[in-house]
DNA sequence: TTGTATGCGTTATCAA
DNA sequence: TTGATAACGCATACAA
């Protein structure tokens, strides 16, 4: 069994109360007493029993990571198919661990999942929740309901219409800037027909598209809808769309809304007999180092997942005052543009 | 605030004890009473307060996923660089959620991480632990110490020397079989010089190599050490080794101990001017569907990560009697052999 | 079959 | 500055 505060108290010839005061850094205990107790605590590696603490109203050192699975019915989530998602999760775990917090992962799809989640908050089982995958506008109702209940939460890449409140902070990427940087770079290389492989209907995709459009317009190229194709961030559709964009040199450069689609564009270009970057230039978005291990040294716009995760954890722990945080986007050189 | 058993009791005109008996499925409560109470429980969506439960000795519905990070010093773990790892984590989360359990992720490297982990067990904060990444022999001491403490644990792909005990179950892949299947397939295709890109010193790698060697010997090709190269499951080294193996058609077929290395071999073959599978055949191991999204339709040996995760969770919950479980390996056709 | 009483380990309130 | 005591919500031994 574990040693309890009671026993520590006995060993230090004080009462549990005093031990508790030391543990919780109360001011009203003399340095000498504190020191004596601390020594015993360390000697016996005493740590308060978390459940007992929670029961008295303190929150657990636990952050719940809520992953949306809008895949009705099946419980399996598709996060594992998205390298960006998986990296984010990995970084969140690391960041939380650094602050002495544990991440509990919960994938939510059905209504019962939500009530289970709600219970965790109500039970103070968790200090806060970090929500990812709630990127579509239609998912914001759910988020807003939780916000209304006053739970402490952080939402990464929220869809449109998220409430502003004191108990929620939204973390966004500089998506518009990302689109603008990428497109500007391609234009500066002398490309005239710069195409965009857009993402889906989520906000980040729309903003990346806006950045692209702004760069095109500022360069006097106007907005040519035939140079824009709407994908879904996945490879298969992107490949088909890229073929359309590149056939007959309709476009000579492509900015894709993520790296996965950029690689599809590269494959399409190669299959059409073009060389990269001599004939066709490609720029991705996110920068996924993992792709380098399979031979794709993509030029991309880097969104620092590590930074984002750190922001999220800090915000979850109340260490960030701003309720809207932006994760920087920056050019990442590669071999494809 | 949340409704408590006290209030449910009042509403049902019974005592807390009876409510508790219903919640915990005690036999000694008449159907009628049970039904009446259940209705109220459902109506008010009552759920017992987890911390209060834990405090009375019951274990939390929580499984801690312990990920080894032998990356001394830095807290960042490298799991995100391994697609296999990330898939496993994703599947573990899904599986646990299916049983109503939450997965808490903890990456352990320093000594203080271990004592924190120990505390979670001691506090009954978790029902069991699933350990991954403890695949090297030198890590088994750590695992064995935890086993000795009687914690309920599941170790996936353990290194050599893990203790056998009632509170631990080991989950292995059919690695020897995987190596044997792959190599036999290549031999059956008429290849004479079948090379092996081996993994590192962990057990799974050694077993895959053994399977390869057995197939070669049974086919009368003996064991030619010059056809074997020892890699580290990563792409960079694998590429170099593959160049050595394939130059001058030293080998015409390669079985790699994982898909990442297989892709390196493919790249090496292409860079040497060979066609796949006409000139050089390549078979990987694990089967990572993700690679298909970047254009690699690898022939591989599939280890069902989903099955493995399900086994692990079941074992963690005490639903598996056997203390040694094997995850099946099977041939997965592709375009490269 | 059911209710009462006690304890789990901690924090907070109050009194000393 | 400190200690005794109540409270948190539940499970369980015991009594009825």
């Amino acid at each position: 069994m574990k040693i309890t505060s009671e026993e520590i108290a006995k060993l230090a010839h004080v009462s549990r109360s005093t031990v508790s005061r030391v543990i919780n850094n109360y001011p009203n205990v003399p340095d000498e007493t504190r020191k004596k107790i601390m020594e015993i605590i360390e000697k016996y590696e005493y740590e308060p029993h978390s459940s007992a603490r929670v029961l008295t109203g303190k929150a657990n050192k636990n952050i719940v990571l809520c992953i949306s699975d809008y895949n009705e019915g099946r419980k399996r989530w598709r996060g594992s198919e998205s390298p960006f998602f998986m990296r984010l999760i990995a970084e969140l775990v690391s960041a939380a661990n650094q602050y002495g917090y544990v991440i509990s992962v919960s994938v939510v799809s059905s209504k019962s999942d939500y009530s289970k989640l709600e219970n965790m908050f109500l039970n103070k089982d968790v200090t806060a929740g970090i929500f990812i995958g709630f990127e579509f506008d239609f998912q914001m109702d759910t988020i807003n309901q939780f916000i209304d209940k006053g739970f402490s939460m952080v939402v990464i890449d929220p869809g449109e219409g998220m409430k502003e409140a004191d108990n929620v902070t939204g973390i966004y990427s500089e998506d518009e800037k990302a689109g603008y940087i990428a497109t500007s770079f391609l234009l500066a290389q002398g490309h005239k027909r710069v195409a965009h492989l857009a993402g889906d209907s989520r906000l980040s995709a729309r903003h990346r598209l806006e950045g692209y459009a702004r760069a095109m317009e500022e360069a006097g190229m106007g907005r040519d809808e035939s140079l824009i194709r709407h994908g879904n961030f996945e490879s298969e559709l992107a490949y088909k769309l890229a073929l359309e964009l590149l056939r007959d040199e309709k476009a000579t450069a492509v900015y894709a809304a993520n790296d996965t689609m950029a690689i599809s564009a590269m494959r399409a270009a190669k299959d059409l007999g073009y060389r990269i970057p001599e004939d066709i230039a490609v720029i991705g978005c996110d920068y996924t180092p993992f792709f380098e291990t399979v031979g794709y040294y993509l030029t991309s716009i880097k969104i620092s997942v590590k930074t984002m995760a750190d922001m999220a954890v800090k915000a979850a722990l109340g260490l960030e005052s701003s309720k809207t945080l932006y994760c920087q986007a920056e050019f990442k050189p590669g071999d494809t543009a």
Side-chain angles (χ1 to χ4, degrees), chain A:
Chain A
M1 275 313 291
K2 264 192 50 171
I3 194 166
T4 70
S5 68
E6 173 85 59
E7 314 185 58
I8 296 291
K10 238 174 239 158
L11 289 163
H13 305 291
V14 294
S15 71
R16 288 179 311 190
S17 320
T18 308
V19 175
S20 178
R21 287 186 189 104
V22 170
I23 284 287
N24 294 291
N25 274 36
Y26 276 60
N28 58 338
V29 34
D31 281 353
E32 204 176 340
T33 317
R34 180 186 306 275
K35 197 177 145 229
K36 182 180 65 181
I37 296 179
M38 275 309 289
E39 273 168 11
I40 300 185
I41 285 177
E42 271 158 31
K43 179 175 170 195
Y44 290 88
E45 294 184 323
Y46 164 73
E47 289 226 29
H49 190 296
S50 41
S51 294
R53 278 195 129 173
V54 169
L55 208 52
T56 67
K58 286 214 169 337
N60 224 346
K61 286 209 163 196
N62 228 305
I63 296 173
V64 61
L65 177 60
C66 313
I67 302 169
S68 160
D69 183 8
Y70 50 93
N71 229 11
E72 283 303 322
R74 335 181 301 169
K75 256 286 199 181
R76 295 198 55 212
W77 56 294
R78 318 191 314 173
S80 57
E81 289 159 30
S82 156
F84 185 79
F85 240 50
M86 293 312 279
R87 279 177 63 212
L88 183 55
I89 294 175
E91 295 294 354
L92 282 170
V93 169
S94 295
N97 276 215
Q98 237 143 9
Y99 289 94
Y101 277 68
V102 169
I103 291 265
S104 294
V105 187
S106 186
V107 4
V108 286
S109 58
S110 66
K111 211 182 153 196
S112 74
D113 293 336
Y114 283 100
S115 81
K116 188 167 293 174
L117 203 52
E118 192 174 332
N119 253 292
M120 294 180 71
F121 278 103
L122 258 18
N123 285 349
K124 301 231 181 198
D125 224 23
V126 296
T127 300
I130 296 177
F131 292 73
I132 64 177
F134 296 77
E135 301 174 348
F136 292 101
D137 302 346
F138 67 82
Q139 296 173 113
M140 285 304 102
D141 278 354
T142 315
I143 292 289
N144 284 334
Q145 282 170 30
F146 268 65
I147 294 176
D148 284 342
K149 298 190 199 240
F151 303 151
S152 164
M153 32 199 294
V154 174
V155 185
I156 293 180
D157 274 337
E160 206 165 19
M162 188 174 77
K163 287 197 178 180
E164 286 187 29
D166 220 46
N167 57 316
V168 60
T169 115
I171 297 187
Y172 302 83
S173 308
E174 293 180 330
D175 290 311
E176 205 272 348
K177 183 176 158 201
Y180 185 80
I181 294 174
T183 311
S184 301
F185 181 88
L186 292 168
L187 289 167
Q189 301 259 304
H191 288 280
K192 303 286 178 205
R193 300 188 299 285
V194 178
H196 180 44
L197 257 177
D200 49 25
S201 69
R202 67 192 92 172
L203 215 51
S204 59
R206 272 139 53 195
H207 286 162
R208 285 170 191 193
L209 169 57
E210 279 169 23
Y212 158 83
R214 179 161 66 92
M216 290 297 274
E217 271 158 25
E218 284 185 11
M221 326 251 47
R223 174 163 174 156
D224 181 351
E225 293 295 335
S226 75
L227 286 175
I228 299 170
R229 287 292 184 286
H230 292 274
N232 56 2
F233 282 126
E234 286 173 25
S235 59
E236 203 172 349
L237 178 54
Y239 179 83
K240 286 183 198 139
L241 298 175
L243 282 179
E244 294 175 21
L245 285 170
L246 297 176
R247 220 186 300 270
D248 311 319
E249 286 206 7
K250 182 181 178 61
T252 64
V254 178
Y255 162 56
N258 74 355
D259 288 347
T260 300
M261 293 198 296
I263 286 172
S264 288
M266 286 173 65
R267 294 205 292 130
K270 280 189 186 146
D271 290 351
L272 289 171
Y274 297 122
R275 291 164 305 163
I276 295 171
E278 293 82 356
D279 304 323
I280 302 285
V282 176
I283 296 188
C285 204
D286 287 347
Y287 179 53
T288 316
F290 172 65
F291 288 131
E292 293 175 358
T293 68
V294 290
Y296 291 102
Y297 296 89
L298 199 56
T299 303
S300 190
I301 307 299
K302 174 174 175 176
I303 308 283
S304 172
V305 175
K306 183 167 161 42
T307 307
M308 185 178 256
D310 209 59
M311 278 181 176
V313 170
K314 272 196 189 133
L317 300 183
L319 272 27
E320 288 278 6
S321 54
S322 175
K323 292 300 161 194
T324 307
L325 266 21
Y326 291 93
C327 187
Q328 212 183 323
E330 55 182 328
F331 188 76
K332 167 69 181 64
D335 291 349
T336 62

